[in-house]
């Protein structure tokens, strides 16, 4: 099987070459993202492999079908960038539902600790031999209430980590896990009671702009927001206003709603066109990482192994269990 691989980064290649070779697969690695203009690069292949910021809308699906592509293999869990409904009966779509929930949950906690203990500030100070502690006062996590939105694979691990810190955990999920011992509350109550809120639900029409101009007032004053899920759960413009008004005490973002044109690329030395992102990054109580939460050796290995297994199963006419349509 020949596979056109879009949005390739150096760290993707070794794992995919290893598992691809073992299974007689050939990858054509493209740095460009998949969109209407680049879909033609998949000519001569039977499959495309895409990531979180590739565009897989109606037009791209039509183009891929026209080229004889039989399957779209997502090398990620979230699939909000794919028109699954439209792909139905036209082209198969598979994903990697879980590759390391630990990677994401641990990154969320790393962001939280960095933010509230001012590690990002201290690191820069001591490198400059500035050993002053002024302005670095943090707060204990022990005894604080953390609200977890979405208690699936990642959310549950994040809850365990928080419990290890002696935090009180409350959660909201559209489908609460029975007999889990988790204290579920309505979203509004979670917003009202939480000192820290961490988002681990998928991006859907329902979850789009969960934090918005309308809901920011419901949040506890000074709340710390953690988003390692999908950017558009939070209205970034409203977030800027919420931080300026001090309603939001800090924000840790591994995802951003307009990340598609910026994240994963080196723009140092450039003038960033996105004023909201630039404003957020300029704030001392905002930490941005560029969709990095998944990036561990274990996760990359699992992603390559599962994606190749998904493609092998498809080529044999078998089910992998990871089909989206
Ligand atoms: P999962 O499918 O195991 O869990 C998602 C949970 O969200 C489920 O319990 C589900 O019931 C709940 N949910 C669904 N609709 C909801 C709603 N309207 N309101 C509240 N909860 C709702 O997914 P997993 O593996 O835990 O991943 C969570 C999210 O993390 C993914 O959707 C993905 O967007 C994001 N992610 C981010 C990564 C990164 O590198 N930053 C890497 C991997 C995933």
């Amino acid at each position: 099987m020949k596979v056109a691989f879009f949005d390739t980064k150096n760290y993707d290649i070794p794992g995919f070459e290893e598992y691809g070779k073992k299974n007689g697969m050939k990858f054509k690695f493209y740095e460009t993202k998949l969109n209407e203009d680049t879909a033609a690069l998949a000519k001569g292949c039977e499959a495309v492999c895409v990531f979180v910021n590739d565009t897989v809308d109606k037009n791209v699906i039509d183009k891929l079908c026209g080229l004889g592509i039989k399957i779209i293999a997502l090398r990620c869990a979230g699939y909000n960038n794919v028109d699954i409904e439209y792909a139905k009966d036209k082209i198969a779509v598979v994903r990697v539902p879980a590759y390391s929930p630990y990677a994401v949950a641990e990154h969320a906690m790393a962001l939280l600790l960095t933010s509230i203990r001012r590690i990002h500030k201290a690191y820069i100070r001591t490198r400059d031999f500035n050993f002053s502690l002024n302005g670095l006062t943090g707060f204990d996590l022990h005894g604080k209430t953390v609200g977890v939105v979405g208690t699936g694979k990642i959310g549950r691990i994040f809850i365990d980590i928080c419990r290890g810190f002696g935090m009180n955990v409350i959660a909201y999920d559209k489908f609460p896990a029975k007999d889990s011992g988790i204290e579920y509350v309505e979203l509004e109550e979670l917003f009202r009671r939480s000192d820290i809120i961490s988002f681990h639900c998928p991006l859907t029409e329902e979850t789009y702009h969960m934090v918005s101009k309308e809901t920011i007032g419901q949040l506890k004053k000074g709340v710390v927001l953690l988003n390692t899920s999908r950017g558009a759960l939070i209205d970034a413009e409203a977030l800027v206003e919420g931080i300026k008004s001090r309603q939001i005490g800090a924000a840790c973002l591994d995802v951003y709603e307009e990340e598609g044109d910026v994240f994963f690329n080196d723009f140092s030395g450039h003038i960033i066109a996105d004023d909201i992102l630039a404003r957020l990054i300029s704030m001392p109580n905002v930490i941005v990482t560029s969709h990095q939460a998944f990036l561990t050796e274990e996760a990359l290995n699992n992603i390559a192994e599962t994606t190749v297994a998904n493609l092998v199963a498809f080529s044999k006419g078998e089910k992998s269990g990871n089909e989206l349509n």
Side-chain angles (χ1 to χ4, degrees):
M1 187 184 255
K2 264 194 183 166
V3 187
F5 198 102
F6 288 89
D7 202 10
T8 310
K9 301 289 178 242
N10 286 344
Y11 50 76
D12 291 316
I13 298 175
F16 274 90
E17 283 203 321
E18 183 193 330
Y19 287 104
K21 224 177 242 167
K22 280 187 200 157
N23 291 281
M25 234 167 241
K26 278 204 178 125
F27 287 96
K28 284 168 86 178
F29 291 105
Y30 295 111
E31 280 182 24
T32 181
K33 290 191 187 67
L34 176 64
N35 58 42
E36 242 186 285
D37 300 325
T38 60
L41 292 169
K43 195 175 169 197
C45 295
E46 292 93 59
V48 295
C49 183
V50 302
F51 197 47
V52 291
N53 291 322
D54 289 295
T55 306
V56 194
D57 58 11
K58 290 186 178 67
N59 293 338
V60 171
I61 290 169
D62 284 342
K63 290 216 160 154
L64 294 177
C65 290
L67 294 168
I69 301 295
K70 302 281 182 292
I71 179 166
I72 298 166
L74 287 153
R75 53 181 191 279
C76 52
Y79 50 88
N80 51 284
N81 54 331
V82 182
D83 193 333
I84 297 293
E85 199 46 44
Y86 190 72
K88 206 174 158 188
D89 302 327
K90 291 188 182 69
I91 193 162
V93 186
V94 288
R95 66 168 178 151
V96 184
Y99 34 88
S100 175
Y102 303 100
V104 183
E106 289 170 14
H107 190 78
M109 181 48 88
L111 285 173
L112 176 59
L113 287 170
T114 303
S115 169
I116 66 155
R117 300 308 305 269
R118 323 298 292 154
I119 307 289
H120 54 309
K121 297 282 165 199
Y123 174 76
I124 291 167
R125 273 191 201 182
T126 53
R127 281 179 67 89
D128 205 23
F129 303 100
N130 173 356
F131 301 107
S132 143
L133 295 183
N134 286 334
L136 298 185
T137 309
F139 63 82
D140 291 6
L141 285 180
H142 186 269
K144 295 293 183 304
T145 297
V146 58
V148 177
V149 181
T151 56
K153 291 176 285 297
I154 297 170
R156 298 279 281 271
I157 292 165
F158 185 72
I159 288 174
D160 287 345
I161 294 172
C162 290
R163 285 183 174 151
F165 277 81
M167 302 172 80
N168 306 314
V169 178
I170 56 175
Y172 167 74
D173 195 300
K174 195 177 170 193
F175 309 100
K178 286 190 191 106
D179 307 323
S180 59
I182 297 171
E183 182 190 345
Y184 284 102
V185 297
E186 287 305 318
L187 188 61
E188 212 175 315
E189 184 179 341
L190 182 144
F191 278 2
R192 184 164 37 82
R193 284 176 53 194
S194 301
D195 302 299
I196 294 139
I197 300 176
S198 195
F199 293 92
H200 301 289
C201 61
L203 174 62
T204 63
E205 271 173 28
E206 265 173 298
T207 61
Y208 177 80
H209 283 185
M210 248 179 180
V211 175
S212 65
K213 218 169 50 205
E214 287 72 35
T215 58
I216 270 180
Q218 296 169 9
L219 301 172
K220 190 167 179 177
K221 199 166 171 61
V223 66
V224 179
L225 297 183
L226 302 176
N227 191 2
T228 55
S229 187
R230 284 293 180 268
L233 298 180
I234 298 179
D235 176 344
E237 217 171 326
L239 177 64
V240 169
E241 291 311 313
I243 296 170
K244 280 163 70 180
S245 71
R246 311 289 192 272
Q247 186 74 19
I248 294 169
C252 302
L253 311 172
D254 186 52
V255 287
Y256 169 65
E257 59 177 329
E258 300 299 331
E259 71 179 47
D261 294 331
V262 187
F263 281 15
F264 306 126
N265 295 306
D266 182 358
F267 283 103
S268 53
H270 292 250
I271 308 292
I272 287 288
D274 185 328
D275 287 350
I276 295 175
L277 181 60
R279 183 74 173 107
L280 284 169
I281 288 174
S282 77
M283 291 169 154
N285 50 355
V286 174
I287 296 177
V288 175
T289 51
S290 59
H291 210 132
Q292 179 192 332
F294 75 99
L295 194 64
T296 64
E297 281 176 21
E298 291 80 356
L300 287 176
N301 190 56
N302 291 340
I303 288 170
E305 188 176 17
T306 307
T307 304
V308 170
N310 287 344
L311 291 168
V312 168
F314 178 80
S315 69
K316 289 183 177 164
E318 294 167 1
K319 292 262 173 240
S320 63
N322 296 328
E323 292 79 13
L324 286 170
N325 59 354

